[in-house]
Amino acid sequence: MTGWIIYNGTLNIPKINKLVKSLVTEGKNLNVKLEAVKNTEIIPTYNNEGKAELLYLKELESPKFIIFWDKDVLLARHLEKMGFKVFNSSKAIEYCDHKGLMHLELSNNDIQMPRTILSPMIFDYLLNSEDYLIKCYEELGKEIIIKESKGSFGMQVYLIKDKGEFIKKVTELNKRNVDFIMQENIKSSYGKDIRVNIIGNKVIGAMLRESDKDFRANISQGGKGKLINLTTEQEEIALKAHKVLGLDFSGVDLLFGEDNKPILCEVNSNLNFLSFEVLWGKSFGAEILKYILEECL
């Protein structure tokens, strides 16, 4: 069986390149020819009859399935239009790629999340209503988390400690025309969270991530991980978020609320599972491929 794994051709992030290569290797072990394809090596186009087609920059065999390890949502949706089975789906990737949209989709599903305010649509690159900003600040508390709507590896996340810093950061983001969300700071989870790795409707394993240097616990930001067993409540909230967003595989991040009550932080469609694999001692990539092969039968 032939499959593609599509990744971004304009990025050169060693972790992503290593992850793609590991999936290609696991494919060989399962007798699957998994071709690594950059999103810049296939060109989505529409013919004179309006039919979705592809132009190729290299010779490729038509795939039985496509693992989409990128956030090029339009390309993913184009491939679905052509009839390809895409994992994760373009809709699921779109939800996870925009933190505001993700919280919007997860809302009203009995999933506890930090109190969150979405940034408004603005013009002229400036939100100059001081009353609006003060209301947001006072609603969320003295220390606030601001997250750019698009960001990975714990980047583009800011801990804001006073009103002046808050207004300065919002103004900066406005000038860059960046969407963002504003959240209460869950102080009980400072420097620690849980990454729950899910395939299908099953939790494969979970990792406690801790940092003694940063409010973010991401491994990419210097956090350390160890395997843990989830409580029933932690597993239930992670699976519910995964299902609401329609994911095939995901990494769900949970915070620790008061009395260790689980709070949903965010959900990742293109999870970096390499650190988990080292701790787990097994191949998470192989489990993804086994799931996809079953779905393609």
Side-chain angles (χ1 to χ4, degrees):
M1 183 182 291
T2 296
W4 294 353
I5 176 167
I6 293 179
Y7 65 109
N8 198 284
T10 63
L11 295 175
N12 189 24
I13 298 177
K15 285 186 177 181
I16 294 178
N17 295 337
K18 184 177 179 181
L19 188 148
V20 169
K21 289 179 181 177
S22 75
L23 281 166
V24 171
T25 299
E26 293 301 337
K28 292 178 182 177
N29 296 336
L30 294 170
N31 199 30
V32 174
K33 181 183 177 183
L34 191 60
E35 295 194 66
V37 181
K38 297 176 181 178
N39 72 325
T40 52
E41 292 177 325
I42 51 176
I43 302 172
T45 185
Y46 310 94
N47 65 21
N48 291 336
E49 297 175 352
K51 184 178 179 180
E53 297 178 342
L54 283 178
L55 300 177
Y56 298 87
L57 270 68
K58 70 177 185 179
E59 186 174 344
L60 291 168
E61 185 177 339
S62 182
K64 181 74 173 180
F65 66 87
I66 296 172
I67 301 175
F68 206 85
W69 219 272
D70 193 22
K71 298 179 180 180
D72 191 341
V73 173
L74 295 183
L75 175 58
R77 192 158 298 163
H78 182 93
L79 294 168
E80 290 167 343
K81 283 276 190 178
M82 292 181 66
F84 293 114
K85 291 185 177 180
V86 180
F87 303 86
N88 282 297
S89 71
S90 63
K91 184 61 68 175
I93 294 170
E94 182 180 20
Y95 288 145
C96 292
D97 185 41
H98 192 288
K99 292 179 174 61
L101 186 59
M102 180 194 70
H103 283 277
L104 176 62
E105 188 65 17
L106 289 172
S107 65
N108 296 352
N109 279 287
D110 295 321
I111 298 174
Q112 185 167 356
M113 300 181 282
R115 186 163 180 78
T116 301
I117 296 175
L118 305 180
S119 63
M121 177 180 284
I122 62 169
F123 296 92
D124 296 327
Y125 311 106
L126 188 62
L127 178 59
N128 54 12
S129 171
E130 187 169 322
D131 289 343
Y132 184 98
L133 294 176
I134 291 175
K135 180 65 175 178
C136 292
Y137 178 80
E138 292 178 345
E139 191 69 22
L140 295 174
K142 293 182 178 180
E143 289 193 358
I144 295 173
I145 301 294
I146 291 181
K147 299 179 180 179
E148 296 185 26
S149 290
K150 292 178 179 285
S152 302
F153 306 113
M155 300 170 67
Q156 294 88 38
V157 178
Y158 314 100
L159 175 60
I160 307 300
K161 297 185 177 181
D162 59 55
K163 188 186 299 183
E165 187 180 358
F166 172 73
I167 294 175
K168 180 179 179 181
K169 175 55 68 174
V170 169
T171 301
E172 174 201 323
L173 294 174
N174 290 160
K175 288 180 177 179
R176 290 199 282 121
N177 201 26
V178 172
D179 287 341
F180 58 94
I181 62 173
M182 301 163 272
Q183 293 184 317
E184 65 174 318
N185 180 24
I186 308 299
K187 295 182 179 180
S188 50
S189 199
Y190 188 96
K192 63 178 181 177
D193 67 11
I194 297 173
R195 164 61 61 86
V196 185
N197 297 297
I198 301 174
I199 301 175
N201 292 317
K202 180 182 178 183
V203 171
I204 302 302
M207 179 171 60
L208 173 67
R209 305 185 298 187
E210 295 181 290
S211 173
D212 57 5
K213 299 178 181 178
D214 200 290
F215 71 99
R216 298 162 295 183
N218 304 68
I219 304 298
S220 299
Q221 299 298 326
K224 305 295 182 183
K226 66 177 181 180
L227 296 182
I228 61 168
N229 294 318
L230 297 175
T231 66
T232 299
E233 192 176 13
Q234 288 168 341
E235 183 168 332
E236 286 177 349
I237 189 175
L239 282 171
K240 181 181 283 190
H242 172 88
K243 292 175 183 177
V244 168
L245 297 177
L247 290 147
D248 293 294
F249 47 84
S250 71
V252 179
D253 295 342
L254 301 178
L255 302 175
F256 293 90
E258 297 297 330
D259 300 321
N260 286 330
K261 186 175 181 63
I263 297 175
L264 192 285
C265 178
E266 65 182 42
V267 184
N268 304 275
S269 60
N270 295 3
L271 66 156
N272 178 14
F273 55 74
L274 297 177
S275 298
F276 171 72
E277 279 190 337
V278 172
L279 295 173
W280 193 38
K282 301 177 186 179
S283 173
F284 188 78
E287 296 304 313
I288 289 178
L289 286 168
K290 290 175 186 176
Y291 164 80
I292 290 174
L293 293 176
E294 289 181 4
E295 291 294 304
C296 289
L297 293 178

